[in-house]
């Protein structure tokens, strides 16, 4: 293969990435990462410079989700490292492959165990900082070590449960003379788990179950698995619920979709799970946000079958299961599909009819307030934006309204949000990454007035790059979700209530972005239509009543079918516990 001359080790790193299919690198620059950045143009890798290391990290997370390859982020030593830790943690907890290249002082200036706090300028112990939030950490102190560890880092990021890998590169190693190439490792197929006994046991349970539910987690959230799920349901139309990151695996508008379940999920999903006699859990951790605190009461009438390729999640599961298969989902789902095709599954029409009755009798318990309602806003946008739409959110009330009320259907309609780490500020930089790496998609960024301000500086990338994305700021002058929690428990929200928001439209215009403002007393539809019809980047600052809460909620000490406030079968609201 023809390529420019490789003269130093940094060249070889970038050449390796290019040969693996990487076309872009996200960064915030600094002296100790300069050799790596210098090599990018020569080897055809485009450099995107964010306004903050956190912005670069979140753009790289979108890169990973949309390309299927590791996202690439490069930052300098010291504060560059400490600033990028938050998106690295997001990648770790949500299983996103990421290669994190950090610059480092020369090997002669490393503190290396000396009884001093710091030897080199902007030196931190990067491997130690990264240890708890990456799959592996490398600090090659020679070129030979770099040649050895880079292919390993690539493989580790992608194998098994994907995640971030840290490569801390001393300056003298990056600049060291080198005229070879770094070759990838030969791919090795992981040993396949014995699927047939599990599928046989599951089939027996399917044939006797009258009230089954399928739960789809983050592991299911790709086009291939969504297609397999659809094929399985052609033979066995069990209703489907999702974790937050599993949203869209089944089309939100499908009659069998229960919505997402758990802490801020659907009461319909919680009721169905509570009444189920069989639960098939696919690629989901069943964490406390999904199950509530009453572990023994979660789906207590059901036999629980799980498929997950992380053996630790099965061994240390919070929820007891009857049978589990440690396997990648694709071969297991393919085997289940084939088995069901040769089987006559039981009639589920009474169960599906019961769910439809519950759907009608369990309304969203939102009070009416003056002005625009979040549910109506998001449903209008969902109905009028293109089918090919990527939605990113921050963390807060707006995140849960989006997951509830926007239509998602993989692969064309997908949600990108922070789940395990729960990071405010995920919204804007991940939307920018989505617009870069999926330029033909409509990209909608939905943020709260608190979350948008975490990384608002990333607005600077949008006009500069000519990106087409739509930014909706739902402004309730309140850090809504935590304010709600504080008021429910302590009747005060001293830290979270009565926030003075800036004029987000004016700020956006300052960055060269078209912007609109809609106050509570102004007509909503014209503002939404202008927002939808805008041909370039646009921000809509939309003010809503501060009393809008996320209702219902699964609180501490509650069963999944007794979310607060919940409704009895006559439609009367019932009061539940308020303990988190």
């Amino acid at each position: 293969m023809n390529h420019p001359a490789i003269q130093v080790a940094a060249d070889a790193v970038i050449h390796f990435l290019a040969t693996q299919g990487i076309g872009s690198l996200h960064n915030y620059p600094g002296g100790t990462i300069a050799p790596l950045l210098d090599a990018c143009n020569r080897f055809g890798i485009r450099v995107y410079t964010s306004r903050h290391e956190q912005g670069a990290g979140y753009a790289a997370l979108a890169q990973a989700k949309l390309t299927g390859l590791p996202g690439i982020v490069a930052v300098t030593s010291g504060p560059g490292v400490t600033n990028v830790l938050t998106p690295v943690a997001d990648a770790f907890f949500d299983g996103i492959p990421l290669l994190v290249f950090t610059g480092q002082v020369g090997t002669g200036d490393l503190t290396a165990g000396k009884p001093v706090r710091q030897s080199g300028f902007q030196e931190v112990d990067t491997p130690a900082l990264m240890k708890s939030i990456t799959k592996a950490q490398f600090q090659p102190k020679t070129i030979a070590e770099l040649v050895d560890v880079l292919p390993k880092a690539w493989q580790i990021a992608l194998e098994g449960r994907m995640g971030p890998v840290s490569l801390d590169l001393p300056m003298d190693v990056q600049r060291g003379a080198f005229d070879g190439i770094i070759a990838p490792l030969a791919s090795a197929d992981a040993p396949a788990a014995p699927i047939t006994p599990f599928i046989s046991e599951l089939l027996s349970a399917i044939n006797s179950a009258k009230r089954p539910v399928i739960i789809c987690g983050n592991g299911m959230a790709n086009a291939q698995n969504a297609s397999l799920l659809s094929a399985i349901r052609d033979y066995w139309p069990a209703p489907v619920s999702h974790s937050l990151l599993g949203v869209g695996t089944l089309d939100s508008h499908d009659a069998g979709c229960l919505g997402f379940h758990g802490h801020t999920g659907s009461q319909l999903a919680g009721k169905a799970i509570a009444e189920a006699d069989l639960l098939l859990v696919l690629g989901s951790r069943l964490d406390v946000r999904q199950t509530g605190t009453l572990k023994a009461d979660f789906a207590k009438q059901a036999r629980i079958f799980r498929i997950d390729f992380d053996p630790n999640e099965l061994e240390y599961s919070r929820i007891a299961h009857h049978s589990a298969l440690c396997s990648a989902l694709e071969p297991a789902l393919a085997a289940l599909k084939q088995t069901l095709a040769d089987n006559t599954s039981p009639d589920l029409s009474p169960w599906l009819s019961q769910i439809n009755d519950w759907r009608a009798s369990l309304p969203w318990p939102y009070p009416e307030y003056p002005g625009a309602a979040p549910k109506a806003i998001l449903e209008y946008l969902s109905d009028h934006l293109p089918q090919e739409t990527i939605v990113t959110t921050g963390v807060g009330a707006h995140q849960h309204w989006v997951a509830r009320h926007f239509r998602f259907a993989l692969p064309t309609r997908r949600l990108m949000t922070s789940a395990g780490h729960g990071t405010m500020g995920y919204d804007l930089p991940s939307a920018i990454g989505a617009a870069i790496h999926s330029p033909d998609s409509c990209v909608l960024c939905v943020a709260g007035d608190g979350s948008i301000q975490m990384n608002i500086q990333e607005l600077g990338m949008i006009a500069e790059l000519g990106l087409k994305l739509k930014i909706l700021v739902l402004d309730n002058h309140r850090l809504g979700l935590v304010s709600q929690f504080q008021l429910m428990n302590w009747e005060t929200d001293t830290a979270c209530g009565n926030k003075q928001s800036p004029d987000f439209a004016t700020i956006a215009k300052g960055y060269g972005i078209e912007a609109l403002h809609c106050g509570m007393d102004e007509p909503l539809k014209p503002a939404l239509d202008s927002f939808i019809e805008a041909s370039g980047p646009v921000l809509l600052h939309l003010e809503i009543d501060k009393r809008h809460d996320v209702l219902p909620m699964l609180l501490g000490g509650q069963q999944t079918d007794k979310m607060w406030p919940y409704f009895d079968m006559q439609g009367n609201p019932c009061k539940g516990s308020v303990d988190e």
Side-chain angles (χ1 to χ4, degrees):
M1 175 181 177
N2 294 325
H3 58 76
I6 293 174
Q7 298 178 337
V8 297
D11 294 341
V13 171
I14 296 302
H15 171 260
F16 173 86
L17 295 178
T19 60
Q20 300 309 298
I22 295 296
S24 306
L25 175 149
H26 296 273
N27 87 104
Y28 194 84
T32 62
I33 201 63
L36 205 69
L37 301 179
D38 176 67
C40 288
N41 283 343
R42 291 196 300 281
F43 295 93
I45 290 184
R46 182 166 179 180
V47 173
Y48 291 98
T49 300
S50 297
R51 300 304 188 262
H52 188 282
E53 289 88 354
Q54 195 174 115
Y58 283 123
L61 263 61
Q63 176 186 16
K65 288 189 172 188
L66 293 168
T67 66
L69 299 174
I72 308 295
V73 60
V75 300
T76 197
S77 58
V81 172
T82 55
N83 281 344
V84 84
L85 289 174
T86 299
V88 174
D90 261 290
F92 184 67
F93 294 120
D94 288 351
I96 304 169
L98 189 70
L99 292 186
V100 189
F101 292 96
T102 56
Q104 186 55 277
V105 301
T107 54
D109 292 323
L110 287 169
T111 297
K114 295 191 289 285
V116 295
R117 292 185 178 183
Q118 186 184 56
S119 295
F121 172 65
Q122 290 189 333
E123 178 199 5
V124 296
D125 187 350
T126 302
L129 291 172
M130 293 283 186
K131 185 174 182 180
S132 68
I133 54 170
T134 55
K135 292 183 71 179
Q137 317 81 41
F138 298 104
Q139 189 186 69
K141 296 182 177 64
T142 66
I143 291 176
E145 288 183 17
L146 175 61
V147 171
D148 179 58
V149 303
L150 179 57
K152 291 179 181 176
W154 178 274
Q155 188 174 79
I156 291 169
L158 288 170
E159 69 184 4
R161 187 172 179 178
M162 296 183 289
V165 177
S166 164
L167 294 113
D168 194 43
L169 305 180
M171 272 286 280
D172 55 328
V173 175
Q174 292 182 65
R175 300 180 72 176
F178 183 68
D179 62 0
I181 64 169
I182 301 176
L185 296 176
S187 59
D189 294 331
I195 294 174
T196 303
F198 175 85
I199 295 296
S200 296
E201 185 181 3
L202 175 59
L203 182 64
S204 176
I206 286 171
N207 286 334
S208 61
K210 293 180 172 54
R211 301 183 306 280
V213 170
I214 299 172
I215 286 180
C216 293
N218 188 28
M220 284 290 291
N222 62 56
Q224 183 177 5
N225 287 340
S227 178
L228 284 167
L229 176 69
S230 177
I232 285 168
R233 294 187 70 253
D234 285 341
Y235 303 109
W236 180 54
V240 177
S241 183
H242 305 85
S243 70
L244 179 60
L245 290 182
V247 166
T249 307
L250 180 65
D251 188 327
S252 302
H253 284 187
D254 190 288
C257 184
L258 301 169
F260 82 101
H261 58 271
H263 175 57
T264 56
S266 151
Q267 179 66 90
L268 174 63
K271 179 68 173 173
I273 288 169
E275 298 293 331
D277 60 2
L278 171 63
L279 211 60
L280 175 58
V281 183
L282 303 173
S284 178
R285 297 186 297 125
L286 296 181
D287 64 15
V288 67
R289 280 292 175 106
Q290 294 186 56
T291 69
T293 58
L294 302 179
K295 295 184 287 185
D297 285 340
F298 179 76
K300 62 184 178 182
Q301 301 184 51
R303 297 183 68 193
I304 299 177
F305 286 71
R306 293 185 62 180
I307 307 175
D308 199 297
F309 63 11
D310 187 335
N312 294 322
E313 292 292 351
L314 298 176
E315 182 177 355
Y316 297 100
S317 175
R318 296 178 63 257
I319 303 297
H321 49 258
H322 295 79
S323 185
L325 173 65
C326 186
S327 167
L329 287 164
E330 291 86 347
L333 294 174
L336 177 59
K337 181 188 77 168
Q338 185 57 53
T339 301
L340 288 170
D342 299 330
N343 179 67
T344 302
S345 296
D347 178 18
L348 297 182
S349 55
W351 175 229
L352 300 178
S353 177
Q354 174 67 82
I355 285 172
N356 285 333
D357 290 345
W358 288 336
R359 194 188 301 272
S361 65
L362 292 170
W364 293 104
Y366 297 129
E368 292 187 10
Y369 299 116
K375 179 176 181 289
I377 294 165
L378 292 165
E379 288 178 342
Y380 190 84
L381 289 174
S382 180
D383 290 343
H384 290 84
L385 286 175
Q387 178 61 29
E388 189 84 16
T389 296
I390 298 168
V391 185
T392 72
T393 79
V395 167
H398 68 278
Q399 175 190 34
H400 304 286
W401 290 325
V402 167
R404 289 174 170 189
H405 305 306
F406 200 92
R407 179 188 182 185
F408 293 103
L410 292 172
T412 56
R413 282 246 172 145
R414 61 183 302 164
L415 173 65
M416 293 186 184
T417 194
S418 173
H421 202 41
T423 309
M424 294 173 68
Y426 184 102
D427 36 44
L428 183 58
S430 62
I432 289 168
I436 289 170
H437 296 287
S438 187
D440 295 331
S441 297
C442 173
V443 178
L444 172 65
C445 170
V446 182
D449 52 296
S451 193
I452 190 70
Q453 294 185 77
M454 292 287 184
N455 278 309
I456 198 168
Q457 74 286 339
E458 300 306 318
L459 288 170
M461 292 190 71
I462 296 170
E464 176 184 297
L465 297 174
L467 301 177
K468 295 180 180 179
L469 66 155
K470 301 180 186 294
I471 305 160
L472 173 66
V473 182
L474 288 176
D475 182 4
N476 57 2
H477 299 279
R478 172 190 182 205
L479 301 178
L481 202 60
V482 181
S483 170
Q484 178 179 338
F485 174 62
Q486 288 188 326
L487 289 170
M488 289 166 66
N489 285 276
W490 296 281
E491 299 182 354
T492 64
D493 62 349
T494 305
C496 302
N498 300 315
K499 294 298 180 184
Q500 178 62 46
S501 297
D503 185 339
F504 293 110
T506 296
I507 293 172
K509 290 175 183 176
Y511 281 104
I513 299 168
E514 180 185 353
L516 310 163
H517 175 269
C518 183
M520 284 181 53
D521 297 328
E522 298 177 81
L524 173 63
K525 187 176 181 296
L528 288 177
D529 288 342
S530 296
F531 179 69
I532 291 165
E533 293 163 8
S535 59
V538 60
L539 180 146
L540 172 58
H541 178 187
L542 180 52
E543 296 188 73
I544 60 174
D545 194 290
K546 67 171 55 180
R547 291 170 291 181
H548 285 294
D549 280 338
V550 177
L551 300 172
M553 270 192 176
L554 179 63
L555 304 177
Q558 291 180 331
Q559 298 173 359
T560 60
D561 59 337
K562 298 292 191 298
M563 298 171 74
W564 178 86
Y566 67 93
F567 287 76
D568 62 23
M569 291 301 100
Q570 287 72 47
N572 301 310
C574 306
K575 185 174 176 58
S577 166
V578 296
D579 296 327
E580 177 67 36

